[in-house]
Amino acid sequence: MLGVGLTATLTVAAAFVWGGAASAGVLAFGLLATALQAAAGAVVRPALDKPFPELMKRWGLGIALRLAGVVVLAVAISFDRELFRPLPSALGYIGVLFPVMLVETRRLR
């Protein structure tokens, strides 16, 4: 829920700062960050009570999911720089992923 709220906030802010065209990239990558973080949390959560090596395998998979989002961001920007402007799109991804990841980390304790 936090990811969707952050995505909406950043999308509106991007529309004010860069215009309506920039908000598409912020929206797309904010939602991608929300989905990837939810998937990473779902991968790690079952291993919290397992042995440390199993936890580290799942933690690594969660990191790989987040890194896949960076790859998708780079590919999207390289294919269509008008729709996915670099700075707004990257801020949409990082601006949602980082706070949601911090909140998720606190929940896993």
Side-chain angles (χ1 to χ4, degrees):
M1 194 60 150
L2 173 64
V4 174
L6 283 171
T7 299
T9 303
L10 289 174
T11 301
V12 170
F16 281 120
V17 173
W18 292 293
S23 61
V26 175
L27 177 65
F29 285 101
L31 292 175
L32 177 67
T34 302
L36 289 176
Q37 180 57 37
V43 165
V44 171
R45 203 169 288 116
L48 290 176
D49 57 349
K50 304 253 175 161
F52 188 72
E54 178 67 23
L55 176 63
M56 286 296 97
K57 286 178 190 174
R58 289 177 174 262
W59 178 81
L61 182 56
I63 293 298
L65 286 170
R66 295 177 191 104
L67 183 59
V70 174
V71 172
V72 170
L73 174 68
V75 169
I77 289 171
S78 66
F79 278 121
D80 193 353
R81 287 180 76 92
E82 287 299 313
L83 182 60
F84 302 112
R85 295 183 184 173
L87 183 60
S89 297
L91 287 176
Y93 186 71
I94 297 299
V96 172
L97 183 71
F98 190 68
V100 173
M101 187 169 56
L102 289 176
V103 169
E104 182 74 20
T105 302
R106 296 185 127 244
R107 285 187 196 155
L108 290 176
R109 286 187 183 181

